[in-house]
Amino acid sequence: MKRRQFLTHTSAALGSSLLPTLAAETLLKGRAEHVISIWLGGGMGQIDSFDPKRKGDPTKKLAGSYYESIPTAVKGVQLCEHLANLAPLMDRVTAVRTLHHDVIDEHAAATNRMHTGRPVSGTVTYPSLGSIISHERGAASDNAPPYVLIGYPNVTRGPGFLGAKAGYLYLTDTGRGPAGLSRPDGIMADRQTRREAMLSTLQENLPTTEDKRLRDYDAAIAQSLKLSGPDFTKAFRLDEEKGDLRTRYGGEFGQRCLLARRLVQRGVRFIEVSHNLNFLNGSGWDVHNTGIVKQHELLRELDTAVASLITDLEANRLLDKTLIVITTEFGRPPEFDSGGGRGHQGSAFTCVLAGGGLNHCGAYGETDELAKKIVNHPVSVPDFFATIHAAMGVDYTKNLYDGDRPVPITDNGVPIAELLAKSPRRAGEN
Amino acid sequence: MKRIYLKLTLLLGLAATTAAAPVARWDFGTEEPSKLESVGGVHRDVPGPRPPTYPDFDGNNTAAKFDGSGSHFVFADPGPNSEFDFTNGDAITLEAWVDIADLHRGENVYLIGKGRTETAGFAADNQNWALRLREQQGQACVSFLFATLPVSGVTKSDAHWHRWTSTEGFAPKSGWHHLAVTYRFGDPDSVRGWIDGKPLPGAWDMGGATGEPPVVDDDAIWIGSSKGGAAANSFRGALDEVAVHREVLSDEVLKKRFRREGAAPVAKLAQQVMPELGALPPGQVQVTFHEAMPTHERWLNEGETWPAAIMTWHTKQFLLPRLPLRYDDWGIREVWRSPMLVRLAADATLTPGKQRFLMRARALGRLWINGQLVARTEAMTKSPPDGEEPIIEVPSSLQPGVRPAAYFQQETFGEAEIPADGKCRIVLETIVGGTKLRAETSELCAAVQTADGWQLLAAGKPALRLTNIAVEPVLRTMEGSLQQFDDGNRRAAAKTQDVFWDQRHATAQAWAKANPPPPVPSDAPHPIDAFLAAKMNRALAEAAKTSLEEARKFHKEVLPVLRDECFRCHGDKMKGGLRLNSRAAALLAGESEKPAVVPGHADASELIARVLTSDEDERMPPQGAGLSAEKIAILKDWIQQGAPWPAAPVTAADVAAPPTLDDAAFLRRVSLDLVGVPPTEAELLSFLADQHPGKRTSAIERLLADERWADSWMPYWLDVLSENPALLNATLNSTGPFRWFIQDALRDHKPMDRFVTELLLMRGSPHTGGSAGFSLAGENDAPFATKGQIAAGAFLGVELQCARCHDSPYHSTMQKDLFALAAMLERKTVTVPKTSMVPAAFFEKKARESLIKATLKPGEPVRPAWPFAALTGQADDTSLDGLVLVPKDTRHRMAALMTAPQNTRFAQVMVNRIWRRYLGAGFVEPVGDWEGHASSHPELLGWLAHEFVAQGYDVKHVTKLILTSQTYQRQATGSNLIATSELRFFNAPECRRLTAEQVVDTLFAVSGQAMNTEEITFDPTGRRAEGARITLGKPSRAWMLASLTNERDRPSLSLPRAQCVTDVMEAFGWNGTRQSPRTDRETSPNVLQPGVLANSSLSLSLTRAAEHSALAELAVAAADPATLVRSIFQRFLSRPPAAVELDKFTKMLEVGFTERLLGAAEVKPTAELPPLPRVTWYNHLNPRATTITMEHEQRARSGPSPDPRLQAAWREVYEDFVWSVINTREFVWMP
C-alpha cells in the first residue's frame, strides 16, 4: 500500500478522532526512585506463603497449604503462619496473586521469563528488568553504578542488546564489594597507596595521545580507582550498622537486604538480591520431595529480612521511593508429589510489591480455593513489569532499540492501575 | 519372514468388519510391502523367533532390530478418518513380538504408537494410541497409552495422559515374547493386557481411567520410538509381527498366539578367560580400542564375540588418561560408538613370588596376569540422581605420597603368584561408555606393590612410582603423544578429501587467471601501500579543486545531517525512488514527483517540506521526534547557497603517515596478532639484537607457522559463528562444542573454502566437537534459519536478522530468503514457525504505515533455493555441479554456492574480515552487513580477494601480505573506523585494545603461571549421554572457557577458579553465552576493565610471587634490582624501561634487596590445604555441597601461597611493582 492511500484508508476507517484520543491517554506514573528486587530461585509456592488456602496433608496426599494461615494488617488478607513479621506490615505491601505464564518445565527458561518478561526469541537477546531500569534512569549518583546484583552472574540478568553500560556489577558475599571493584584481601591502604604511586610513574611516562579511546580508558582507570576507594566501598561495610539492626535483618540473606538499603543510599538504582543460599534445605525454593520439610525456614528467613527491610526503609524515609519487588520462577501446585513435596505451577502464582509509593492493598487478584486457577484480575508477566516501570516513572509504552529494531519495553504490558492511583501519603513520610 | 499358517501381507484398507484381519501387520521380512520409512539405526534381517523354540515360525524368519538411539520406522497416516484413527466406541488390539536387549529402570519404550512424534504442525501431546513396554521392578510390563484433549487452565500438566500398565511382566533379555493389549475407547474398564498368551492384571497408573475420547489427528505411526526420537523412549532390541486391529481379539485367539518349546532361553555369560593376543611388541604396552560392545553392564555372553580393534596405540605403562579422539572419514570429530572395550596388554618382568596388585577404573574392568583374573571392577549400572547423591569423601591415600584414585573411580586389589623367571603377560580391560554414559576412561591404571609403595605396571620391568611427582610429568608426555596420535589420525582421514579440494583449487586458479585482478599502482614497494597511496593522492588532487573552507562547511555540517538522518533509506538504497547521496541524485524527484533539492530555493525543495511537515504520515525521518531546528536550518541554508557538493577537504596532514613502529613495539603487535600473546623476553631480546634487514618478515613467517596461530583465531570464529555450548540443559541458541572442529581446521591449516564447506555440512558428532555441533540451536523453533542467518552474515556480509520475522526494513532481504537458505541446509521444504511473526498489535498500534512487512505467514512452506545468485555472481545451476561433492544434496550445493570462485562476494568478505582484524577497520563497515555500505578501497579489496582465491583460499597468505605492508607496521594513530568510506585512507592502523582473550592469555603467559581452573563441566563422572552433559576439559587458553552460568542460582554449581578467569574476560567484552553472532564486541571502556586488573582474584594471583611461579624465580635469581626491573618491563610490556622508570623502580626494589632471601632456617614450608570433596551435578543439592563450594571459592579468592623463600616486606613491594605494570593503559592496548 502506498502511504497516501494508507492515510485515506485509516482516516475513513478509524475516524479522525482516534489519534488525538491515543495521544491524550495519560501515562500512569509513580514516584519511586529505586528498586530492590528479591529473587526467590527455584519457585516459591504461593499456597505456602502469600496466597494461603485450606490446609492439606502431604501424608494423605490431600491437596492444600502446608501451614496454618494468619490474619494481617489488611482485613481479609491472610498469610502463611511463617510470615508473621510481614503480616502487620501488609498495608505497605501488595501480594500480586494472579501472575501466570507457561514456562514451568525448565528452571533456566522460567528464570529468563521472569527477568526479561518475554519468551526467548531466536534473534534477540532481551535485557533484564534491572538493565532496562538502569538504561532508562541511570544511576542516582555519579559515584555509584546503576545496577548491582547480589547473586551469581548470568545472561538472564544481563543487559542483552542494551550493551554493557546497562549491565550489573555483582557480588556473591556481603562481606565484600562487587567483583572487580573491591580490593582483594590483604591489600591495605598503605599498599594501595604505593601501588597507585607506582602506577603514576608509569602513566607519567606514557606519550600523550589525542585518541579518544585511550583517553576514555585512562578516565575509566581513574573512575575505577575511585569506586574501589573508601568512598563507595564504605557501602559494603555492614559493620557500620548498629548491631541490633543487623541482628533484626537475620542471616546472610538479611544482610544482603541490609546491604541493598545501603546501596540505595549510595545512589544505586536497581539492586537484585538473590535468596539462593541453599544451606537450609539444599534445593532452596525448589521444594520437590523432602525439600519441603525445611521450607518454613526459608519462609522465616524471607519474612525476617523483608519485614526488617520495610521498617528500616521506612525509618530512613526511603520506603516511598524504594520499590521492593519479590519475584520467583513460578508457583507450586496445591497437590503433593510422591515424596511429599511439590511440583511446578505456572497457571497462578504470587509475586510481591512493597513500598515504592504505591497504593498498596495487601493483596491483588484472586485465585480459586486451592490457588490453582485465577478467579479474577489476572496479571501477566508483562503487566507486572509494566507496573514496575510505571512505579519508577518509566514510560512503559515506549520502544527500546536493538540497533534499528524497535522492541517494546514490555511485551504489551499494562500496569495495574489501582496500585498507581493517587493516594494520600501517610503521615510522617516526606 | 512369516508365520507358516498366515498369509503375510499388509492388509491396508480392509474394513474392520473382516474378522481377525488386522488393519496392518508388519512382519519385517526381506521385502516390505508397506511404505515404512526407516530413520536411524534400524536393522532388518536379524533373526526373528524361529523353530525349534518357536515352532509356529519359519526357519528363516527375520525381525527388525532397533538400537535405541531414537531409530524407528515411520508409517504415514493415510489421512482423515483412516483405519488408524481411533475414537470413542472403536475397539483396538495392538500386538507385537519382542526380544528386549535392554530396558532401564523406570523406562517407557515405544513398540508402536500413533502421534506424539513431535512433527511440526502437530501438538506434542497427540497420542491416539500406543503399545509400550514399561519397566517395573526389573520386569518388562505391557503398557497402553493415549492422550485426551488437555483441560484448559491445566497447562502442561500430565493429567490428560492415560496409561494402563500390567502389574506383572517378564525379564528382559529372555528371548522372544508376545505382547498384546485390547481396548474399547470410551470404556476404561475394557482394557486388558496380554503377555505370552496370558491375560494379566493391571491398572490405570497415570492420568486415571477416563471415558473421554483420545486425541485424533493425521500424525504418523512410529514403530520403535516416539517424541521426535527421544532415546529414553526408544526400544532397544528386536521386533516382529507388529499388528494393529480394529477389534478386540478373542481370548482364544490371543492365547494361541504364543507357543514356545522349553523354557525361556537364558543368556549365559561366556566363561571368562584372558584373551589370546599373540605376540606383542616388545617393550610396549599395546592399547587397542574396540567399538560397539553389546552392553556396558557385563562381559560377553556365550555366542557373542569381541569387536575387532579399530585403533591401536602404544605406550610404556599400564596407564591411560583418556581415549584418543574418534574422527569420521573426513577427519571431523565423531563420537565413539560405545560401549567400547579398551584393552592394554604387554609382556612384563615382575619380581617372582606372590605379589599384590592394584587396578583403578571407572567402570567394568579386569586385570589378568598370566591367565589369572587378578582384580576386577564393577559395571556402572545405577542411574545417578539429579543432585541428591551423597558427597563422596576425599579418598585417603593408600600410603603417604601415593597418587590417589581419580574422583568416582573404583580401586580394587588382588594377588598373583609370579613365576621364578618373572615373565608375565599382563592384560587390563575395561568397558568405556554405554547407554547414557559418556565414553570417557578416567585415569585407568594398574600397579604392583613394592617395599616402599606402588609402581605402575609396565612393559618390561615396572619403573614408575605411583606418586604425583613421578606420574604428572609422564601424563604430560602422554598427552603430547596422544595429541600426536590424534593429529596423525585426523590428518590421514582428511587427506582422503584432498583430491576433491585439489581439483576445486585448480578450478579456482583457472578462474583467477581468466578474471585478472585490478592492476597494482606502481609507486610503492608493497602493493597494499601502493593502492592506499593512490587513493590518498586522488583525494588530495580532488580537494585542491575547491576552497578548503567551503568543503569543510559541507563535509562537517551538511553531509553529517544527510548521512545520519537520510542515507539509511536514501543512500545506496533507494526508498521511495530517491537517493540523496550525491548532488545529481538529490536534484531529482522520487515517487513524490517533486525534486528533493532545488538549488537556491529551500522553499521549493521537497526535502525541506518533508522535514518540516507535522503530518505524521509524511514527515521525514519516519521514526523518532523529527529533525532539530538546528539541523533543519543547516539544510535550508545549504540549499539556499545553491546546494554545493564539493569533494572532501583532504589535506596532506590528514593523510600523513605516522612513523613506523620501533622493533620492540612491532614484535609486540605482531605477536599478539598472530599468536595471541606477547613475545617472551628471550624472543624480544634476540629480535632486538638481530641486525638482519629482513628480520620483520622472518618474524611474521615464524609466527604464522606457530601452532598458537590457531588460538589467535579461535575467539573470532566462536563469536562470528555463535558457538554456545551449554554445560547443563539446552538454553537459547545453545550449540554443540564445535570449537574443536574449528581448532582442528585451523591447526591443520584448512583453506577457508574447505573450512566453510565442512562447517556447513555439519558432520561428525554434535556433542563432542564435530561441525555437526553447529547444527544445534537450543530453545529455537527454526534452528536452520538461525544457521542460515549466521552463515550469510559471516561469509557473505548479508544481514538476515530481521528476516526471521519480517522483511528487512532497511535491507532488500526478504523473509523468504532466510527460510529458503534454511530449507537448503535442512534439505527439505521448511515452514515458518508461529513465533516468527510480528504481533498483530504492532501493526494496529501504528498510525503510519509500518516500515516492516511480513510477507510470509506462519506455517507457509518454503522450498530450498539460493537467494543470492545476483549478489554473489554464482547461480544455483549446472555450472556449479563440478564444484559439488554431492550435487543432488541442497546442503552440499549451498556450501559450494557460498565458496565457489565465481562467488566474488565470499572472497571479498573474507579478505575484509582479515584486514579488519589487523588494521582495526574494514574496507567495508560493518563487516557482516555490506548492503548499503560502500568499500573504501574497491581496487585493493578486489586485488586482495583475487590473491586469496588464486592462492587456494589461504588465510595465512593474505595475512602475510597485510602484515608485511608498511601500513600495518606504522604507529596506531588511525581514525578509519569513524571515517566514512570516502575518507577512510588507512594511512595508519587503528589503535586497538587487547581482546579479553589476549588480556587473560597475556596475564598467564607473562606471569608464567598455568591456567589451573576446574575442568569445565558439571559432570566429571560421565554418567549422562554426550548430548545431556558435556565436558569442555581443562582450559589452557582463554578461548576454551565457556559460560559457567547455571541459571539456577545455586552456589553449589559454581566453578570458582574458572569464574575468576571469566570475570576478567567478561569485563573486557567476552561473553560465554553467545546467543547471536557478532563480529564486534563492545569496546567502550568501563570501570570494570581497569577494575578487574586492579582488584580481581585473577590479578591478585598472577601478580603474586607465588611458590613455583616464574615471578618468584625471577626475583630469587635476579643479580640486581635493575636487572629485575628490566626483565619485568620486557616480559610484561615488551620493551626496556625508560631511564626514569628504571631509576624509580630500581630505587624502590633496592630497599631490602640483598636481604630479600630468607635463610634456610627461616623458610617456613607452605602448609598444604587439605583436599576438599568434589561437588558435581549429582550431589549439588546436598546442603554440604554449598559449604564445600564456598570453601573452594574462598581458596580461589585467596590465590596461591607466596614463595616462602622471599622476605614478605620486599616481596610486597615487588608485587606492587608488577601490579602497577599490568594496570597501566599500555598493558592492555596494542602498540
Side-chain angles (χ1 to χ4, degrees), chain B residues 863-904:
Chain B
R863 294 163 58 89
W866 175 240
F868 301 129
L871 178 94
T872 59
Q874 174 65 57
D876 187 7
D877 53 30
T878 49
S879 72
L880 188 74
D881 291 1
L883 300 171
V884 196
L885 207 55
V886 187
K888 283 191 173 158
D889 181 316
T890 56
R891 190 185 287 181
H892 276 269
R893 289 193 83 81
M894 176 170 151
L897 286 160
M898 282 270 184
T899 56
Q902 287 84 346
N903 178 348
T904 50

Short mmCIF file of all heavy atoms in Angstrom, two decimals, chain B residues 863-904:
data_model
loop_
_atom_site.label_atom_id
_atom_site.label_comp_id
_atom_site.label_asym_id
_atom_site.label_seq_id
_atom_site.Cartn_x
_atom_site.Cartn_y
_atom_site.Cartn_z
N ARG B 863 10.52 -23.60 -0.10
CA ARG B 863 11.36 -24.65 -0.70
C ARG B 863 12.82 -24.22 -0.69
O ARG B 863 13.12 -23.03 -0.68
CB ARG B 863 10.92 -24.91 -2.15
CG ARG B 863 9.53 -25.51 -2.24
CD ARG B 863 9.00 -25.35 -3.66
NE ARG B 863 9.90 -25.98 -4.62
CZ ARG B 863 9.81 -27.26 -4.99
NH1 ARG B 863 8.85 -28.00 -4.50
NH2 ARG B 863 10.66 -27.76 -5.86
N PRO B 864 13.73 -25.20 -0.73
CA PRO B 864 15.14 -24.84 -0.79
C PRO B 864 15.43 -24.02 -2.05
O PRO B 864 14.96 -24.38 -3.14
CB PRO B 864 15.85 -26.20 -0.88
CG PRO B 864 14.87 -27.20 -0.39
CD PRO B 864 13.51 -26.65 -0.70
N ALA B 865 16.13 -22.93 -1.91
CA ALA B 865 16.51 -22.11 -3.08
C ALA B 865 17.66 -21.22 -2.66
O ALA B 865 17.81 -20.87 -1.49
CB ALA B 865 15.32 -21.27 -3.55
N TRP B 866 18.45 -20.83 -3.62
CA TRP B 866 19.60 -19.97 -3.36
C TRP B 866 19.20 -18.54 -3.66
O TRP B 866 18.98 -18.17 -4.82
CB TRP B 866 20.75 -20.41 -4.26
CG TRP B 866 21.99 -19.57 -4.22
CD1 TRP B 866 22.56 -18.91 -5.26
CD2 TRP B 866 22.85 -19.35 -3.10
NE1 TRP B 866 23.71 -18.28 -4.87
CE2 TRP B 866 23.92 -18.54 -3.54
CE3 TRP B 866 22.82 -19.75 -1.76
CZ2 TRP B 866 24.94 -18.11 -2.69
CZ3 TRP B 866 23.84 -19.33 -0.92
CH2 TRP B 866 24.89 -18.53 -1.40
N PRO B 867 19.05 -17.70 -2.64
CA PRO B 867 18.52 -16.36 -2.88
C PRO B 867 19.57 -15.35 -3.33
O PRO B 867 19.24 -14.20 -3.59
CB PRO B 867 17.95 -15.97 -1.52
CG PRO B 867 18.71 -16.77 -0.51
CD PRO B 867 19.24 -17.99 -1.21
N PHE B 868 20.84 -15.76 -3.41
CA PHE B 868 21.90 -14.76 -3.58
C PHE B 868 22.66 -14.86 -4.90
O PHE B 868 23.84 -14.53 -4.97
CB PHE B 868 22.90 -14.87 -2.42
CG PHE B 868 22.26 -14.65 -1.08
CD1 PHE B 868 22.44 -15.56 -0.05
CD2 PHE B 868 21.46 -13.53 -0.85
CE1 PHE B 868 21.85 -15.35 1.19
CE2 PHE B 868 20.87 -13.33 0.40
CZ PHE B 868 21.07 -14.24 1.42
N ALA B 869 21.97 -15.35 -5.95
CA ALA B 869 22.65 -15.51 -7.23
C ALA B 869 23.17 -14.16 -7.73
O ALA B 869 24.34 -14.03 -8.12
CB ALA B 869 21.72 -16.15 -8.25
N ALA B 870 22.32 -13.16 -7.69
CA ALA B 870 22.73 -11.86 -8.23
C ALA B 870 23.82 -11.24 -7.36
O ALA B 870 24.81 -10.69 -7.85
CB ALA B 870 21.51 -10.93 -8.28
N LEU B 871 23.65 -11.38 -6.07
CA LEU B 871 24.58 -10.75 -5.13
C LEU B 871 25.98 -11.35 -5.23
O LEU B 871 26.99 -10.65 -5.17
CB LEU B 871 24.03 -10.95 -3.71
CG LEU B 871 24.89 -10.40 -2.59
CD1 LEU B 871 24.42 -9.00 -2.26
CD2 LEU B 871 24.80 -11.29 -1.36
N THR B 872 26.05 -12.67 -5.36
CA THR B 872 27.35 -13.34 -5.28
C THR B 872 27.97 -13.59 -6.63
O THR B 872 29.17 -13.86 -6.73
CB THR B 872 27.20 -14.70 -4.58
OG1 THR B 872 26.28 -15.49 -5.34
CG2 THR B 872 26.69 -14.55 -3.17
N GLY B 873 27.16 -13.57 -7.69
CA GLY B 873 27.69 -13.90 -9.00
C GLY B 873 27.68 -15.39 -9.29
O GLY B 873 28.18 -15.84 -10.31
N GLN B 874 27.13 -16.17 -8.37
CA GLN B 874 27.08 -17.62 -8.59
C GLN B 874 25.64 -18.09 -8.46
O GLN B 874 25.04 -17.96 -7.40
CB GLN B 874 27.96 -18.34 -7.58
CG GLN B 874 27.88 -19.85 -7.63
CD GLN B 874 28.41 -20.44 -8.94
OE1 GLN B 874 29.55 -20.22 -9.31
NE2 GLN B 874 27.58 -21.19 -9.65
N ALA B 875 25.09 -18.61 -9.57
CA ALA B 875 23.71 -19.09 -9.54
C ALA B 875 23.70 -20.58 -9.24
O ALA B 875 24.69 -21.28 -9.44
CB ALA B 875 23.04 -18.83 -10.89
N ASP B 876 22.55 -21.03 -8.75
CA ASP B 876 22.40 -22.46 -8.46
C ASP B 876 21.96 -23.18 -9.73
O ASP B 876 20.79 -23.52 -9.90
CB ASP B 876 21.38 -22.66 -7.34
CG ASP B 876 21.32 -24.11 -6.89
OD1 ASP B 876 22.17 -24.91 -7.35
OD2 ASP B 876 20.44 -24.44 -6.08
N ASP B 877 22.90 -23.38 -10.66
CA ASP B 877 22.56 -24.09 -11.88
C ASP B 877 23.63 -25.15 -12.15
O ASP B 877 24.49 -25.40 -11.31
CB ASP B 877 22.43 -23.10 -13.06
CG ASP B 877 23.67 -22.22 -13.18
OD1 ASP B 877 24.78 -22.69 -12.80
OD2 ASP B 877 23.54 -21.07 -13.63
N THR B 878 23.60 -25.72 -13.33
CA THR B 878 24.50 -26.84 -13.59
C THR B 878 25.96 -26.41 -13.60
O THR B 878 26.86 -27.24 -13.45
CB THR B 878 24.17 -27.50 -14.95
OG1 THR B 878 24.08 -26.44 -15.93
CG2 THR B 878 22.87 -28.27 -14.88
N SER B 879 26.21 -25.10 -13.76
CA SER B 879 27.61 -24.65 -13.75
C SER B 879 28.27 -24.98 -12.41
O SER B 879 29.49 -25.00 -12.29
CB SER B 879 27.67 -23.14 -14.00
OG SER B 879 27.20 -22.44 -12.86
N LEU B 880 27.46 -25.23 -11.42
CA LEU B 880 28.00 -25.49 -10.09
C LEU B 880 28.40 -26.95 -9.91
O LEU B 880 29.25 -27.28 -9.08
CB LEU B 880 26.93 -25.12 -9.04
CG LEU B 880 27.36 -25.14 -7.59
CD1 LEU B 880 28.23 -23.93 -7.27
CD2 LEU B 880 26.14 -25.16 -6.67
N ASP B 881 27.79 -27.83 -10.69
CA ASP B 881 27.88 -29.26 -10.39
C ASP B 881 29.31 -29.77 -10.21
O ASP B 881 29.57 -30.62 -9.37
CB ASP B 881 27.15 -30.08 -11.47
CG ASP B 881 25.64 -29.87 -11.38
OD1 ASP B 881 25.22 -29.08 -10.50
OD2 ASP B 881 24.91 -30.46 -12.18
N GLY B 882 30.23 -29.25 -11.01
CA GLY B 882 31.61 -29.71 -10.89
C GLY B 882 32.26 -29.36 -9.58
O GLY B 882 33.29 -29.91 -9.20
N LEU B 883 31.65 -28.43 -8.85
CA LEU B 883 32.25 -27.98 -7.59
C LEU B 883 31.61 -28.65 -6.37
O LEU B 883 32.01 -28.40 -5.25
CB LEU B 883 32.09 -26.46 -7.44
CG LEU B 883 32.73 -25.60 -8.53
CD1 LEU B 883 32.29 -24.15 -8.38
CD2 LEU B 883 34.24 -25.70 -8.46
N VAL B 884 30.60 -29.46 -6.63
CA VAL B 884 29.85 -30.04 -5.50
C VAL B 884 30.15 -31.53 -5.40
O VAL B 884 30.13 -32.24 -6.40
CB VAL B 884 28.33 -29.86 -5.68
CG1 VAL B 884 27.62 -30.10 -4.36
CG2 VAL B 884 28.02 -28.50 -6.20
N LEU B 885 30.37 -31.96 -4.18
CA LEU B 885 30.64 -33.37 -3.95
C LEU B 885 29.41 -34.22 -4.19
O LEU B 885 29.46 -35.27 -4.82
CB LEU B 885 31.11 -33.52 -2.49
CG LEU B 885 32.03 -34.68 -2.17
CD1 LEU B 885 33.25 -34.68 -3.05
CD2 LEU B 885 32.43 -34.60 -0.69
N VAL B 886 28.27 -33.75 -3.70
CA VAL B 886 27.01 -34.48 -3.89
C VAL B 886 26.01 -33.49 -4.51
O VAL B 886 25.28 -32.81 -3.81
CB VAL B 886 26.46 -35.00 -2.54
CG1 VAL B 886 25.24 -35.90 -2.76
CG2 VAL B 886 27.54 -35.75 -1.76
N PRO B 887 26.00 -33.41 -5.84
CA PRO B 887 25.22 -32.34 -6.49
C PRO B 887 23.73 -32.37 -6.17
O PRO B 887 23.07 -31.35 -6.28
CB PRO B 887 25.47 -32.58 -7.98
CG PRO B 887 26.73 -33.36 -8.04
CD PRO B 887 26.76 -34.20 -6.81
N LYS B 888 23.19 -33.51 -5.79
CA LYS B 888 21.74 -33.56 -5.55
C LYS B 888 21.37 -33.06 -4.16
O LYS B 888 20.20 -32.87 -3.87
CB LYS B 888 21.24 -35.00 -5.70
CG LYS B 888 21.12 -35.40 -7.16
CD LYS B 888 20.38 -36.70 -7.28
CE LYS B 888 20.12 -36.99 -8.75
NZ LYS B 888 19.90 -38.42 -8.99
N ASP B 889 22.35 -32.89 -3.32
CA ASP B 889 22.08 -32.56 -1.92
C ASP B 889 22.11 -31.04 -1.75
O ASP B 889 23.11 -30.40 -2.03
CB ASP B 889 23.15 -33.25 -1.07
CG ASP B 889 22.97 -32.99 0.41
OD1 ASP B 889 22.71 -31.83 0.78
OD2 ASP B 889 23.10 -33.95 1.18
N THR B 890 20.99 -30.47 -1.30
CA THR B 890 20.93 -29.00 -1.25
C THR B 890 21.92 -28.41 -0.24
O THR B 890 22.38 -27.29 -0.40
CB THR B 890 19.51 -28.50 -0.91
OG1 THR B 890 19.10 -29.10 0.33
CG2 THR B 890 18.53 -28.85 -2.00
N ARG B 891 22.23 -29.17 0.80
CA ARG B 891 23.19 -28.64 1.77
C ARG B 891 24.59 -28.59 1.12
O ARG B 891 25.31 -27.60 1.28
CB ARG B 891 23.21 -29.50 3.03
CG ARG B 891 24.01 -28.85 4.14
CD ARG B 891 24.13 -29.75 5.35
NE ARG B 891 22.88 -29.84 6.12
CZ ARG B 891 22.76 -30.56 7.24
NH1 ARG B 891 23.79 -31.24 7.71
NH2 ARG B 891 21.62 -30.61 7.89
N HIS B 892 24.94 -29.63 0.40
CA HIS B 892 26.21 -29.61 -0.34
C HIS B 892 26.22 -28.45 -1.34
O HIS B 892 27.22 -27.77 -1.51
CB HIS B 892 26.42 -30.93 -1.08
CG HIS B 892 27.03 -32.01 -0.23
ND1 HIS B 892 28.38 -32.20 -0.15
CD2 HIS B 892 26.47 -32.93 0.58
CE1 HIS B 892 28.63 -33.22 0.67
NE2 HIS B 892 27.49 -33.68 1.13
N ARG B 893 25.09 -28.27 -2.00
CA ARG B 893 25.03 -27.20 -3.00
C ARG B 893 25.21 -25.84 -2.35
O ARG B 893 25.92 -24.97 -2.84
CB ARG B 893 23.68 -27.23 -3.76
CG ARG B 893 23.53 -28.41 -4.69
CD ARG B 893 22.34 -28.23 -5.64
NE ARG B 893 22.68 -27.42 -6.81
CZ ARG B 893 23.31 -27.88 -7.88
NH1 ARG B 893 23.68 -29.15 -7.94
NH2 ARG B 893 23.57 -27.09 -8.90
N MET B 894 24.57 -25.66 -1.19
CA MET B 894 24.69 -24.37 -0.54
C MET B 894 26.13 -24.10 -0.14
O MET B 894 26.64 -22.99 -0.29
CB MET B 894 23.79 -24.31 0.69
CG MET B 894 23.97 -23.00 1.44
SD MET B 894 22.73 -22.81 2.72
CE MET B 894 23.64 -21.81 3.88
N ALA B 895 26.82 -25.14 0.37
CA ALA B 895 28.22 -24.96 0.76
C ALA B 895 29.05 -24.55 -0.46
O ALA B 895 29.91 -23.66 -0.38
CB ALA B 895 28.75 -26.25 1.37
N ALA B 896 28.78 -25.16 -1.59
CA ALA B 896 29.54 -24.83 -2.80
C ALA B 896 29.18 -23.44 -3.32
O ALA B 896 30.04 -22.67 -3.77
CB ALA B 896 29.27 -25.88 -3.89
N LEU B 897 27.90 -23.08 -3.22
CA LEU B 897 27.48 -21.75 -3.66
C LEU B 897 28.15 -20.66 -2.83
O LEU B 897 28.52 -19.60 -3.33
CB LEU B 897 25.95 -21.63 -3.55
CG LEU B 897 25.18 -22.40 -4.63
CD1 LEU B 897 23.74 -22.65 -4.18
CD2 LEU B 897 25.21 -21.64 -5.96
N MET B 898 28.29 -20.94 -1.55
CA MET B 898 28.92 -19.98 -0.64
C MET B 898 30.39 -19.77 -0.98
O MET B 898 30.94 -18.71 -0.73
CB MET B 898 28.83 -20.52 0.79
CG MET B 898 27.49 -20.34 1.44
SD MET B 898 27.45 -18.75 2.29
CE MET B 898 25.87 -18.82 3.07
N THR B 899 31.06 -20.83 -1.48
CA THR B 899 32.52 -20.81 -1.54
C THR B 899 33.09 -20.92 -2.95
O THR B 899 34.30 -20.99 -3.11
CB THR B 899 33.07 -21.99 -0.71
OG1 THR B 899 32.50 -23.21 -1.20
CG2 THR B 899 32.73 -21.85 0.75
N ALA B 900 32.24 -20.94 -3.96
CA ALA B 900 32.72 -21.09 -5.34
C ALA B 900 33.56 -19.86 -5.74
O ALA B 900 33.30 -18.76 -5.27
CB ALA B 900 31.54 -21.23 -6.29
N PRO B 901 34.56 -20.05 -6.60
CA PRO B 901 35.37 -18.89 -7.02
C PRO B 901 34.55 -17.79 -7.70
O PRO B 901 34.85 -16.61 -7.54
CB PRO B 901 36.41 -19.50 -7.97
CG PRO B 901 35.98 -20.89 -8.24
CD PRO B 901 35.06 -21.31 -7.14
N GLN B 902 33.51 -18.21 -8.44
CA GLN B 902 32.68 -17.21 -9.10
C GLN B 902 31.96 -16.33 -8.08
O GLN B 902 31.53 -15.23 -8.40
CB GLN B 902 31.61 -17.88 -9.99
CG GLN B 902 32.14 -18.48 -11.26
CD GLN B 902 32.70 -19.88 -11.03
OE1 GLN B 902 32.92 -20.32 -9.90
NE2 GLN B 902 32.97 -20.60 -12.11
N ASN B 903 31.79 -16.85 -6.87
CA ASN B 903 31.18 -16.07 -5.80
C ASN B 903 32.23 -15.10 -5.27
O ASN B 903 32.93 -15.36 -4.31
CB ASN B 903 30.67 -17.00 -4.70
CG ASN B 903 30.07 -16.25 -3.53
OD1 ASN B 903 30.23 -15.03 -3.42
ND2 ASN B 903 29.40 -16.97 -2.67
N THR B 904 32.35 -13.96 -5.95
CA THR B 904 33.40 -13.00 -5.58
C THR B 904 33.10 -12.35 -4.23
O THR B 904 33.99 -11.87 -3.55
CB THR B 904 33.51 -11.91 -6.64
OG1 THR B 904 32.19 -11.39 -6.89
CG2 THR B 904 34.07 -12.46 -7.94
#
